Amino acid sequence: MGRFVPKCVLIDLSGTVHIENSIVAGAARAIDRIRKSGISFRFVTNSSKESVASLFTRLVGLGVNLSPGDLFTSLTATKQYVLRKNCRPMLFLEENAQQDFKDVSMVDPNSVVIGLAPSMFNYEKLTEAFNCLKNADNAELIAINKSRYLQRQHGLVLGGGAFVAALEYSTGLTATVVGKPSRKFFEQSIADFEGVVVEDCIMIGDDVQDDVAGAQAIGMKGILVQTGKYRPGDETKINPAPYLTLPSLVDAIDHVIELHSNGCET
């Protein structure tokens, strides 16, 4: 049997590193440890409620040691997709998140980009998006993600996926999902790490579907952490099961560093 030595670690943010404006216990120290270890790592997030710059500022304010290059977000991936496909999107996003699309043409929209936008999740706005998709030639519904739910300080809340599903149902379209668990998203997140392929990577997150199952489907190992949206029994909901289920990011980083130092039988 071979020995698995991780070359790259992908780390989810919301629910794994922080919950809204609170840091998960021990997360900042764990991130310092992975940085000092020399193992390549990147934060990969489906966060779509705020701009990348706003997210970066918030994380630094919580005591997370990071540089802009450490972040790969579904907003970034969506903008790249829109520009590549020459889409002119109607943005179903909060005003803060729309800042990342300032240089994208939105004249005579032929697509809808939808993320987590609580202030826009109402009948009138959904109808506006519906009509955009029904009236444009070759219209495309672009979902930044299809998150089922996420953790807030007071408990679980609906993710944007419910509203993507509403538009799919009414328009008859199938959304293009850009963020996790998209294969392309994971591949893009490691593209600039020289010599790293998906089989060299470990994904750490609190979402058993989008983080763990998505990563494992393309050959990564997935560690499910019992923070954020995790609920008892989540690890039994996917097949194959998570590579590991651990209490927190602290334990996951400890394991990764141990693997990197000593290797591990697979």
Side-chain angles (χ1 to χ4, degrees):
M1 301 177 71
R3 301 178 74 83
F4 174 66
V5 180
K7 294 182 180 178
C8 179
V9 184
L10 301 180
I11 305 170
D12 173 55
L13 282 172
S14 180
T16 302
V17 173
H18 72 103
I19 298 172
E20 295 188 278
N21 291 319
S22 296
I23 194 83
V24 171
R29 293 191 302 277
I31 292 163
D32 286 341
R33 289 197 68 214
I34 196 69
R35 188 180 297 281
K36 291 174 183 176
S37 75
I39 304 170
S40 296
F41 73 96
R42 180 152 288 154
F43 298 105
V44 289
T45 178
N46 270 348
S47 178
S48 60
K49 194 178 176 183
E50 61 185 324
S51 69
V52 176
S54 175
L55 176 62
F56 177 82
T57 299
R58 185 151 64 95
L59 291 169
V60 171
L62 292 176
V64 179
N65 176 18
L66 77 164
S67 63
D70 294 334
L71 287 176
F72 187 70
T73 78
S74 53
L75 272 179
T76 301
T78 300
K79 181 180 178 181
Q80 293 172 354
Y81 179 86
V82 163
L83 292 173
R84 188 168 64 251
K85 295 290 293 288
N86 295 314
C87 296
R88 302 183 305 277
M90 170 189 164
L91 296 179
F92 211 100
L93 300 172
E94 294 292 351
E95 186 175 350
N96 188 308
Q98 292 186 28
Q99 295 174 19
D100 286 353
F101 292 80
K102 283 184 176 179
D103 56 347
V104 174
S105 174
M106 300 172 208
V107 177
D108 188 22
N110 61 0
S111 57
V112 169
V113 167
I114 179 169
L116 183 61
S119 70
M120 299 182 74
F121 289 153
N122 57 65
Y123 186 80
E124 289 75 18
K125 287 293 184 181
L126 283 165
T127 298
E128 185 180 349
F130 164 78
N131 279 305
C132 174
L133 293 167
K134 292 298 283 185
N135 295 330
D137 292 333
N138 301 311
E140 186 171 7
L141 175 59
I142 303 166
I144 294 177
N145 62 72
K146 287 185 76 174
S147 174
R148 294 167 175 79
Y149 51 87
L150 56 154
Q151 183 71 36
R152 294 296 190 218
Q153 293 286 4
H154 62 276
L156 295 176
V157 297
L158 274 177
F163 303 93
V164 176
L167 289 172
E168 287 182 314
Y169 178 78
S170 293
T171 62
L173 298 173
T174 299
T176 298
V177 180
V178 179
K180 296 177 290 183
S182 158
R183 167 184 285 271
K184 182 70 172 177
F185 180 84
F186 285 115
E187 291 174 340
Q188 283 179 291
S189 71
I190 64 170
D192 57 352
F193 292 129
E194 187 175 354
V196 173
V197 295
V198 292
E199 290 81 6
D200 298 325
C201 302
I202 291 181
M203 173 72 212
I204 303 170
D206 68 320
D207 189 318
V208 73
Q209 297 288 346
D210 289 353
D211 293 329
V212 178
Q216 293 190 159
I218 67 166
M220 296 183 180
K221 294 186 184 297
I223 297 179
L224 179 65
V225 291
Q226 297 170 315
T227 56
K229 69 171 66 174
Y230 171 85
R231 294 295 184 271
D234 279 357
E235 58 270 36
T236 68
K237 294 179 180 179
I238 61 171
N239 185 21
Y243 161 65
L244 283 175
T245 300
L246 295 172
S248 73
L249 180 62
V250 174
D251 306 277
I253 294 301
D254 284 347
H255 178 74
V256 169
I257 291 174
E258 181 179 0
L259 283 181
H260 191 260
S261 299
N262 305 317
C264 179
E265 294 294 337
T266 59

